[in-house]
Amino acid sequence: MRGFDQELREQLLEALPKHGITVHAGISPEKIEALENETRRVSLSNGEKIETDCVFFATGRKPNVDGLGLDAVGVKTEKGAIVVDAQSTSSVPNIYAIGDVTDRINLTPVAIGEGHTLAERLFSKHPPRDWSYETTPKAVFFSETLASVGLTEEEAARQADLEVFTASFRPLRQTLIGRDRKAFMKLVVERESQKVVGAHMMGEAAAELMQGVAIAVTGGLTKRDFDRTIGIHPTTAEEFVTMRSPTRQVSKTA
Ligand SMILES: Cc1cc2nc3c(=O)[nH]c(=O)nc-3n(C[C@H](O)[C@H](O)[C@H](O)COP(=O)(O)OP(=O)(O)OC[C@H]3O[C@@H](n4cnc5c(N)ncnc54)[C@H](O)[C@@H]3O)c2cc1C
């Protein structure tokens, strides 16, 4: 969950046991052995052993640049990724790189966006569309969906004093079906400008909902704009326009 708002990550950690998931923090798997009957035994760095039928091992990703001959033409790489400037130009002015191979934000719409922008810049008479990595929304589709747009509280606090609005509640639908599932929603607002610089959510349909909020954050709207937006009742989404008082004031960090 690296890169997500810390409070959102903590909410997820709290919610996971309700989905039957146990988190072993700060522990690494050291050995996986195949036993009889399709059983796998995982030895952990704290000496514990877990027997299970399936091990899903997330190893991460790295750019696939071996054998492309980048060195031969002088294209610089860093940790295996092609180094580019804001215009996606590599260290060789007529060689460009877009998408995961540049290891900026590794998402499909970002790769497509970078491709569009580059094509427009090189071949179109019109200026390329202007979009920002800072307001690129993202989601994790998991037992609890997480979705975010803009800055985390930690990032925003490095830039300005903040007002942080949070709401944590059981959505009406979850109450009706008798499920103990919570939604958590959060707005990060720059105190002086009242600009909403970040929105974060954990809960059902968080990704669907965040796409709309991303338009407001990309547009640089203020908390007042959120406040004067009428909610749709009864929805979880209406919480984003009904958070009246800040949960806390946060001073700019050094
Ligand atoms: C498991 C998983 C789940 C994901 N889920 C999501 C998601 O839900 N939402 C989302 O937005 N993003 C998701 N992503 C990220 C998304 O897939 C990537 O960000 C996106 O595909 C990047 O596009 P790309 O064109 O840069 O790279 P790719 O889609 O990886 O395309 C690169 C292409 O180049 C080819 N290639 C590589 N080397 C050579 C070579 N030497 N010669 C010729 N061809 C070559 C490859 O075969 C590949 O077809 C996920 C990624 C993974 C791995």
Side-chain angles (χ1 to χ4, degrees):
M1 301 304 155
R2 190 166 9 116
F4 275 87
D5 184 272
Q6 184 60 30
E7 195 176 12
L8 195 68
R9 294 158 69 168
E10 285 162 14
Q11 290 288 328
L12 177 67
L13 196 61
E14 220 175 89
L16 288 181
K18 289 181 191 147
H19 296 271
I21 296 170
T22 310
V23 177
H24 302 267
I27 291 166
S28 307
E30 291 197 325
K31 193 163 65 171
I32 303 169
E33 295 162 275
L35 307 180
E36 279 170 20
N37 305 327
E38 306 270 307
T39 305
R40 305 280 180 268
R41 183 195 290 143
V42 186
S43 303
L44 303 176
S45 54
N46 64 349
E48 234 181 273
K49 292 185 195 320
I50 297 172
E51 286 192 8
T52 178
D53 60 340
C54 182
V55 178
F56 182 82
F57 196 16
T59 58
R61 289 178 272 165
K62 66 179 176 72
N64 183 13
V65 293
D66 294 346
L68 288 182
L70 297 179
D71 284 346
V73 288
V75 170
K76 273 197 203 135
T77 58
E78 211 175 280
K79 291 183 187 156
I82 298 178
V83 178
V84 288
D85 64 13
Q87 270 75 47
S88 295
T89 308
S90 76
S91 53
V92 177
N94 62 330
I95 299 182
Y96 309 95
I98 53 162
D100 281 14
V101 81
T102 62
D103 198 19
R104 287 176 278 184
I105 297 181
N106 299 332
L107 293 172
T108 296
V110 174
I112 293 170
E114 288 169 353
H116 278 161
T117 309
L118 181 65
E120 284 165 355
R121 190 167 66 75
L122 296 178
F123 307 115
S124 164
K125 291 191 198 83
H126 307 290
R129 81 193 67 179
D130 124 54
W131 59 273
S132 130
Y133 289 99
E134 223 173 56
T135 52
T136 296
K138 60 183 179 183
V140 173
F141 301 96
F142 192 41
S143 304
E144 290 283 358
T145 301
L146 302 188
S148 284
V149 60
L151 303 179
T152 65
E153 180 179 333
E154 299 74 46
E155 289 166 339
R158 286 196 283 274
Q159 300 183 4
D161 293 335
L162 307 175
E163 286 181 346
V164 174
F165 297 75
T166 59
S168 179
F169 59 97
R170 256 174 99 185
L172 184 63
R173 202 179 86 85
Q174 300 290 347
T175 314
L176 284 176
I177 59 178
R179 264 217 205 137
D180 182 21
R181 297 280 157 80
K182 263 188 353 185
F184 173 77
M185 295 156 90
K186 171 168 178 174
L187 289 177
V188 180
V189 179
E190 274 186 9
R191 193 185 301 161
E192 200 179 319
S193 65
Q194 284 295 299
K195 196 171 149 186
V196 177
V197 291
H200 309 277
M201 177 173 174
M202 179 188 79
E204 211 180 19
E208 294 288 347
L209 203 156
M210 197 55 68
Q211 185 69 80
V213 178
I215 300 171
V217 175
T218 302
L221 298 191
T222 64
K223 182 65 172 60
R224 277 185 289 276
D225 294 313
F226 277 64
D227 291 343
R228 68 194 182 87
T229 302
I230 300 295
I232 300 172
H233 185 74
T235 62
T236 301
E238 68 179 322
E239 203 67 31
F240 270 131
V241 295
T242 53
M243 293 186 200
R244 298 286 174 238
S245 344
T247 311
R248 57 183 173 274
Q249 304 281 338
V250 177
S251 299
K252 188 177 168 190
T253 50

